[in-house]
């Protein structure tokens, strides 16, 4: 409950309602509005199917290295670009 209270737009009453509703199933953005959550503030901190959450990007070291290399160096394999330590 303490984590929910840290979200802007969710008060103590809404946090209690969210916790009790989660026992029975998923909570939609429509239900959050009916519970009294200020969606204008909370939408940046919560994930709902209706809000269109994005997939987290892949931050693997090899992937990041290839993103930051210039185009001529991208043709090289990651093994030849940097020494790996085991």
């Amino acid at each position: 409950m303490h984590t929910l209270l840290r979200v802007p737009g969710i008060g103590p009453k809404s946090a209690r309602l969210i916790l009790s509703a989660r026992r029975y199933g998923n909570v939609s953005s429509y239900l959050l509005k009916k519970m009294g959550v200020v969606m204008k503030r909370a939408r940046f901190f919560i994930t709902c199917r209706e809000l269109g959450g994005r997939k987290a990007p892949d931050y693997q070291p090899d992937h990041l290295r290839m993103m930051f290399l210039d185009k001529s160096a991208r043709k090289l394999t990651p093994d030849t670009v940097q020494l790996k330590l085991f």
Side-chain angles (χ1 to χ4, degrees), residues 7 13 16-17 19 22 26-28 34 36 45 56 59 62 68 71 80 85-86:
V7 175
K13 180 182 172 187
R16 272 187 248 112
L17 289 171
L19 289 177
R22 284 287 295 146
N26 293 336
V27 178
S28 66
K34 289 193 74 138
F45 301 95
Y59 289 128
D62 291 336
F68 291 115
K71 290 184 180 182
T80 60
L85 300 174
F86 295 99

Side-chain angles (χ1 to χ4, degrees), residues 13-44:
K13 180 182 172 187
S14 300
R16 272 187 248 112
L17 289 171
I18 291 170
L19 289 177
S20 63
R22 284 287 295 146
R23 292 183 185 143
Y24 302 106
N26 293 336
V27 178
S28 66
S29 62
Y30 174 74
L31 287 176
L32 289 174
K33 286 179 192 177
K34 289 193 74 138
M35 289 178 192
V37 174
V38 181
M39 293 300 290
K40 194 173 191 178
R41 294 183 197 150
R43 68 177 174 210
F44 301 106

